[in-house]
Amino acid sequence: MGDTNERTAERAAKRGRPRSFDRDAALKAAVMEFWERGYEAVSIADLTRVMHIKAPSLYAAFGDKKTLFEEVVEAYVREFGGFVERALAEEPTARRGVARLLREAAYWHTLPGHPRGCMVITAATNCTAGSEDVLRGLQERRVRTLRLIEGAVRADLAAGELPAGTDPHVLAVYCSAVLQGMSQQARDGMDRETLEAVAEAAMRAWPG
């Protein structure tokens, strides 16, 4: 009877023990894996390998693959992707905000020791039908960026900073297309200096 009680107590103690892995480090490893390879190509086996945890621990700490990916995207945006919103919020005009975010994209998309390009742009490439919600979630984030740029352009237009005939939506789509194109060029190996020159060239097309 005493042995049974001891085993029960031991099992209870094990259940109550804290996780034996660094959750933040595991999450960062997942960010790098999804950023480098995209959502669809990464398996649970890949995740357990790079995160240095077993599948039960992964599910217990992060949920399933889609739930983990949602947290990964939030972590990525906080650490690597927030420059877009900061530039538009901190600069006094849309022109200066977009010039800054494109210039900073050249830096963040070619960050040494990290995957290239923007994960929000590239991670859902070639998703299957079963991952449509993942694709849709990333699309919504890209649309949000487009709307932020368009809102800044509309504010400039109302303030007289832009010519009266400027189309805010078209200009915002143009800027988003440049931003996304820079991400793909970075994935293809383009260097930071060239992408900075592309950003400058793009701004020469700014109205007025």
Side-chain angles (χ1 to χ4, degrees):
M1 184 72 173
D3 289 343
T4 301
N5 289 338
E6 287 178 5
R7 286 195 296 270
T8 301
E10 184 179 354
R11 287 195 296 268
K14 286 180 178 179
R15 287 196 297 269
R17 287 173 186 166
R19 296 189 184 100
S20 60
F21 66 92
D22 185 330
R23 191 182 192 283
D24 290 340
L27 180 61
K28 288 179 180 178
V31 169
M32 295 300 170
E33 188 74 359
F34 280 121
W35 189 358
E36 177 66 39
R37 301 178 59 199
Y39 177 80
E40 200 71 33
V42 175
S43 67
I44 292 295
D46 295 324
L47 292 168
T48 58
R49 173 179 51 80
V50 300
M51 297 168 75
H52 302 293
I53 58 176
K54 296 186 181 301
S57 296
L58 187 154
Y59 289 121
F62 298 100
D64 62 11
K65 178 181 169 182
K66 289 181 181 178
T67 304
L68 169 60
F69 183 71
E70 290 171 2
E71 187 171 349
V72 160
V73 172
E74 292 292 341
Y76 169 82
V77 170
R78 282 196 307 272
E79 187 166 356
F80 303 104
F83 66 91
V84 172
E85 291 193 22
R86 285 196 301 271
L88 293 171
E90 294 174 3
E91 296 299 328
T93 64
R95 187 186 195 288
R96 288 179 58 175
V98 170
R100 173 177 159 182
L101 73 85
L102 291 180
R103 184 174 62 251
E104 292 187 4
Y107 167 79
W108 288 106
H109 292 174
T110 59
L111 201 60
H114 294 73
R116 286 177 155 250
C118 172
M119 188 175 74
V120 174
I121 294 172
T122 63
T125 304
N126 299 324
C127 271
T128 61
S131 304
E132 285 183 1
D133 49 344
V134 173
L135 176 62
R136 186 165 54 252
L138 294 178
Q139 285 176 334
E140 288 171 357
R141 286 182 177 273
R142 295 194 294 272
V143 169
R144 172 177 166 76
T145 296
L146 172 64
R147 288 174 177 166
L148 287 172
I149 297 172
E150 184 173 344
V153 172
R154 289 188 184 279
D156 273 15
L157 186 60
E161 295 282 348
L162 288 166
T166 301
D167 185 324
H169 181 66
V170 170
L171 185 55
V173 170
Y174 166 74
C175 295
S176 294
V178 174
L179 180 63
Q180 293 177 21
M182 289 173 67
S183 172
Q184 185 58 55
Q185 288 295 318
R187 294 283 289 187
D188 289 345
M190 195 60 63
D191 59 88
R192 175 183 172 182
E193 291 74 17
T194 300
L195 293 179
E196 287 175 337
V198 168
E200 293 177 5
M203 293 311 300
R204 287 196 287 273
W206 194 267

